[in-house]
Amino acid sequence: MKKILILLSLFTVASQARAGVFTSLATGNWNSPNTWTLSSGSDADGIPDADDDVTIAAANTITLTQNEACNNLTHPGGSATRLVCATNVLEINGVLSFAAAVSGENYITSSSSTSGIRFVGAGRNPLMGTNSGAFGTGYSVEVACSGTSTLSGGNLKFANLNVTSGTVNLGGELRLAAAGFLTIAAGATVSTASRVGTTSATASTFGAGITVNGTLETSGTIVSGTAITINGTFRVKGTLTITSNPSSALDPEWVYGAGAVVEYNASGECSMGAEIDRAASTANPVIPILRVNGVSAGNAVQTNFKTPRVNNLDFVNGKARCNGSNLVIVSGGTITGASATNYVVTASTTAGLRREGVGSVTATGGFPIGTTTAYLPVTAFNNTGTSDIFTAHVSATAPACVAPASTVTATWDITEFVAGGSNCDISVDYGAAAVGGSFVAGSAKIVHCNGATPDYANGSVTGTVASGSGFTTFSPFGVSSDAILPLELKSFTGQIQATTNMLRWETLTEKNVQSHIVERSIDGNRWSEVGRVAGKGDSQVAVKYSLEDRAPLAKAYYRLRSVDFDGKENLSNSIVLNRKGDQFGITSVFPSPAVDRVTVQFNATKDEKVTVSVTDMTGRLVMQQITEAVKDINELPITLTGLQAGVYSVTVSNSTGASAPVRFVKQ
């Protein structure tokens, strides 16, 4: 019976145990009972732990010699009161309260990026009282809460802030010490109403680094750090430009992981800023995903004299406006989500949507462009010629080369980076544009303008989409049902023969055509006449022509220029003929005379390293360049800067011998 009574007594004592309320007695270590007094509750060892509330008395310094935990922690805020975490962590399950205004930065200190305060548990407001001051030179904080936590309605400064889970909101600036870090784990979010990583707009000290594996969203205008790495999502919610701090060669280098997203999510117009810009001597980084999401219909994301380079442009809601620079989609990049309300507004012919590396494949998504009020996209763009860079812009005016009455009131300016070599199929949707009173969709074509004269028209219209093919010259284009051309060309082709190149073409109709001129180019840019054939004047039947190039180059571009008696011209698509050589040596050196550069065209019989040498008339070697040649025709540009005017010779040599010298003139 005695044993039973003792057990009941122990159970009664245990059931009455409750969390303790501790207050520091004096300066000391956290894990020493001599440091604390227990004002209420109970505790077995006299040391605060995870379920206890703790108050640090004024002028006391409490030091962690190991990892510790408590429920709520109250700090009086006086400058002589300290919590020294050293290399250890104090885990807080409740809140950290400051009883007085914070005016310094040494109230809570830690000496490593992994030490300091750690908030755990459910989402809440873990900082209470007057806590909006800059109190964190050594104040490292980890937030590992499961829900949403609001740290402050004002500004907070940290040595380091590490958010490992949940969402953290700050109503003011998120400030970092000079060597501080902000780290956001995958799945976690930090949202600020103001600047990130800076103490002021002009401060010279800013955080050492920001790493976003989750989400960082800001309504502020400055994001600072010597290095900013985005592997997750960087969300811009403010309507002003994000800038670096300070604005100098120390601007942070933005680095993007493979799945990084830069998302514009403002309610009004906003501009692309430092997140896409680097120091003048370095190239802008490629943003894996640039997302337009939430920008109101009447506004847009502006490029603002920056040059954003994007792999995937993703429209969710809103527009992107090219104001001061092009918006560049890199080679292999895509555009998704474009629509009549979500597209790229092109403000001028110097600011448009650019796509790199367009060749032999359709530019996925085309060019979803328009004016501020009308969506006028290039719905498809397929280049079957030499890969190139194309930029598109559209305006709400009819092209100058056709009569407005029979034309769509829209001009698509499409330019290629390197003239010559491209051969494109183009489709445009003119549904949002006005049309002239005499416009007939059933007979309309896409027309290319050469000044005030149309030089090529092709295609047909389905619905409001006009599609054409065989376009080899660029900017500007229109859609017209009355494009008066010198002729309707069915085809222009070339064939390599034993010692010559044969050029053939066929016209379906000719109107006032005086002559057909075959032109040749080594580089697809500079053209010269090979020969000409008289035209038929006026003809309504198919006519076939041919002309032989009896001194062909190893590689040459050809095109047909048809001229009428009034001086109007029509240019064909360009073609390239590549004669396979079986001898090592130079096939051409051009141009000659040259000003600052020549191109050496040579044939190699295998993949090998070759040396190109330039000598003057005395035989003195003045320039030499080694290059990796591929089997077949090669072209190597040589810069002549520094050479005096005169006659020079160039040779190409490999491991077995050298070519015969070819002369050129330097002006």
Side-chain angles (χ1 to χ4, degrees):
M1 187 67 177
K2 250 179 167 183
K3 290 181 182 179
I4 294 175
L5 287 174
I6 291 171
L7 288 173
L8 286 175
S9 176
L10 289 173
F11 175 78
T12 301
V13 171
S15 66
Q16 291 176 349
R18 53 194 177 87
V21 177
F22 286 86
T23 303
S24 64
L25 286 171
T27 293
N29 294 333
W30 182 288
N31 66 338
S32 171
N34 296 328
T35 303
W36 307 101
T37 179
L38 184 64
S39 57
S40 65
S42 59
D43 190 270
D45 59 4
I47 301 171
D49 51 33
D51 62 346
D52 296 325
D53 295 338
V54 176
T55 298
I56 300 176
N60 287 173
T61 296
I62 306 301
T63 301
L64 272 63
T65 58
Q66 61 186 28
N67 293 340
E68 302 287 358
C70 68
N71 185 38
N72 299 309
L73 176 66
T74 300
H75 192 298
S79 60
T81 307
R82 302 279 190 274
L83 175 66
V84 179
C85 297
T87 60
N88 304 298
V89 174
L90 176 61
E91 196 168 86
I92 299 178
N93 297 294
V95 299
L96 168 60
S97 300
F98 286 87
V102 176
S103 58
E105 296 186 351
N106 296 314
Y107 297 91
I108 300 176
T109 62
S110 54
S111 57
S112 75
S113 61
T114 57
S115 61
I117 301 296
R118 183 172 190 258
F119 292 109
V120 297
R124 59 191 183 280
N125 299 339
L127 287 176
M128 303 294 289
T130 307
N131 56 64
S132 61
F135 60 92
T137 297
Y139 190 81
S140 293
V141 173
E142 179 185 351
V143 180
C145 297
S146 57
T148 300
S149 300
T150 300
L151 288 185
S152 173
N155 304 325
L156 280 178
K157 182 177 180 182
F158 302 90
N160 302 289
L161 176 60
N162 182 18
V163 180
T164 53
S165 62
T167 297
V168 172
N169 294 325
L170 284 93
E173 295 179 11
L174 192 166
R175 300 175 174 179
L176 297 177
F181 288 87
L182 168 64
T183 305
I184 306 172
T189 298
V190 171
S191 179
T192 73
S194 189
R195 303 165 179 148
V196 177
T198 179
T199 56
S200 72
T202 58
S204 59
T205 58
F206 45 91
I210 296 174
T211 300
V212 180
N213 296 316
T215 300
L216 172 62
E217 62 179 33
T218 178
S219 299
T221 59
I222 292 177
V223 176
S224 292
T226 53
I228 299 175
T229 301
I230 309 295
N231 296 313
T233 298
F234 173 56
R235 182 174 294 125
V236 181
K237 297 186 72 67
T239 56
L240 299 175
T241 307
I242 294 288
T243 59
S244 295
N245 182 39
S247 181
S248 69
L250 295 177
D251 281 355
E253 296 296 297
W254 292 71
V255 178
Y256 297 98
V261 178
V262 174
E263 178 180 320
Y264 288 90
N265 188 234
S267 59
E269 193 120 290
C270 53
S271 298
M272 299 179 188
E275 66 275 16
I276 55 166
D277 191 34
R278 288 188 174 184
S281 61
T282 57
N284 283 345
V286 174
I287 301 173
I289 301 174
L290 176 64
R291 180 168 294 150
V292 180
N293 180 20
V295 180
S296 57
N299 297 306
V301 179
Q302 301 185 56
T303 54
N304 250 28
F305 301 99
K306 305 293 182 182
T307 306
R309 294 172 54 76
V310 179
N311 187 59
N312 171 239
L313 176 59
D314 179 29
F315 287 99
V316 177
N317 180 43
K319 301 177 180 66
R321 187 198 307 274
C322 298
N323 272 2
S325 68
N326 295 313
L327 175 56
V328 180
I329 309 300
V330 299
S331 181
T334 59
I335 301 175
T336 55
S339 68
T341 56
N342 304 336
Y343 58 89
V344 178
V345 177
T346 54
S348 70
T349 54
T350 59
L353 177 60
R354 173 171 291 180
R355 307 203 68 154
E356 297 179 340
V358 181
S360 301
V361 294
T362 300
T364 305
F367 293 85
I369 57 177
T371 67
T372 54
T373 57
Y375 183 45
L376 299 166
V378 179
T379 56
F381 190 87
N382 184 40
N383 175 26
T384 57
T386 305
S387 178
D388 208 339
I389 299 170
F390 294 88
T391 305
H393 161 267
V394 67
S395 59
T397 57
C401 67
V402 287
S406 57
T407 304
V408 171
T409 309
T411 299
W412 290 267
D413 284 288
I414 304 174
T415 58
E416 61 177 341
F417 191 74
V418 178
S422 299
N423 190 341
C424 296
D425 303 332
I426 301 173
S427 297
V428 299
D429 190 340
Y430 62 85
V435 298
S438 302
F439 176 77
V440 180
S443 59
K445 295 177 172 57
I446 294 182
V447 57
H448 177 261
C449 296
N450 183 4
T453 304
D455 62 10
Y456 185 72
N458 183 270
S460 59
V461 171
T462 301
T464 59
V465 176
S467 300
S469 61
F471 293 98
T472 61
T473 55
F474 298 90
S475 187
F477 295 88
V479 179
S480 179
S481 56
D482 189 25
I484 303 174
L485 300 172
L487 82 163
E488 186 175 359
L489 183 66
K490 180 180 180 181
S491 62
F492 176 62
T493 61
Q495 182 181 19
I496 297 173
Q497 298 185 340
T499 59
T500 64
N501 285 344
M502 181 64 71
L503 291 309
R504 295 185 175 90
W505 64 99
E506 182 177 359
T507 64
L508 297 178
T509 62
E510 296 186 33
K511 183 177 182 179
N512 204 31
V513 175
Q514 181 183 40
S515 58
H516 301 287
I517 303 169
V518 174
E519 296 179 330
R520 184 179 70 189
S521 172
I522 296 177
D523 58 1
N525 189 25
R526 295 175 290 272
W527 299 87
S528 60
E529 181 177 332
V530 176
R532 64 178 63 196
V533 177
K536 296 299 182 182
D538 295 319
S539 173
Q540 297 298 315
V541 298
V543 180
K544 295 182 179 181
Y545 297 88
S546 64
L547 187 142
E548 192 174 33
D549 182 0
R550 297 186 178 184
L553 302 176
K555 177 182 179 182
Y557 297 90
Y558 293 93
R559 70 182 183 185
L560 180 69
R561 182 186 297 274
S562 300
V563 184
D564 72 3
F565 288 99
D566 297 328
K568 292 183 179 180
E569 298 180 345
N570 181 79
L571 279 176
S572 76
N573 59 299
S574 62
I575 60 174
V576 61
L577 296 182
N578 192 350
R579 302 178 67 85
K580 300 291 185 180
D582 56 3
Q583 297 293 324
F584 176 82
I586 296 175
T587 57
S588 180
V589 178
F590 60 90
S592 181
V595 178
D596 56 4
R597 191 177 75 166
V598 295
T599 296
V600 179
Q601 186 184 85
F602 64 93
N603 184 68
T605 57
K606 61 180 180 180
D607 294 352
E608 60 181 338
K609 184 177 293 184
V610 302
T611 302
V612 179
S613 304
V614 178
T615 58
D616 62 16
M617 290 302 294
T618 68
R620 182 174 62 93
L621 181 67
V622 295
M623 187 178 299
Q624 196 169 70
Q625 189 170 337
I626 299 174
T627 186
E628 294 287 343
V630 297
K631 183 179 180 181
D632 210 347
I633 300 299
N634 295 261
E635 291 183 358
L636 178 67
I638 298 178
T639 301
L640 304 178
T641 304
L643 292 185
Q644 295 181 349
V647 179
Y648 295 86
S649 294
V650 60
T651 59
V652 178
S653 59
N654 59 11
S655 59
T656 59
S659 69
V662 176
R663 290 185 176 184
F664 68 90
V665 177
K666 163 71 165 62
Q667 289 183 333

